[in-house]
Amino acid sequence: MKGKVWQEIKNLSDVELETKLRETEEELFRLRFRHSSTPLKNPLLLRYLKRTIAKIRTLFKERETVKASN
């Protein structure tokens, strides 16, 4: 399942990736805010979102280096 999500992210265009990044960052912010007042049922979701953000940013960086080298 994890591989499917990563493949879907890799196939997104730059605009779609930016949108996905903003949405994920907003969701992480909301969950952190909610988690500070009451515990979440699944606190591992915070880790998952942070890792997803890191993967998206890494993909952006890879695409930049490919464009720069061409």
Side-chain angles (χ1 to χ4, degrees), residues 1 6 8 15-16 18 20 23 28 31 39 42 52 59 68:
M1 175 123 169
W6 177 238
E8 289 175 11
V15 176
E16 292 171 330
E18 284 182 35
K20 176 84 170 161
E23 289 173 354
L28 179 63
L31 281 177
N42 186 4
T52 303
L59 193 57

Side-chain angles (χ1 to χ4, degrees), residues 26-63:
E26 277 183 33
E27 187 177 355
L28 179 63
F29 176 78
R30 287 190 197 119
L31 281 177
R32 280 183 175 163
F33 194 84
R34 195 173 355 149
H35 184 60
S36 66
S37 61
T38 59
L40 296 174
K41 288 183 180 180
N42 186 4
L44 294 178
L45 188 57
L46 295 171
R47 183 189 311 168
Y48 173 77
L49 291 175
K50 288 193 300 187
R51 288 181 180 178
T52 303
I53 290 170
K55 287 177 184 178
I56 293 172
R57 288 184 178 163
T58 302
L59 193 57
F60 269 129
K61 205 62 155 166
E62 287 175 359
R63 289 181 182 185

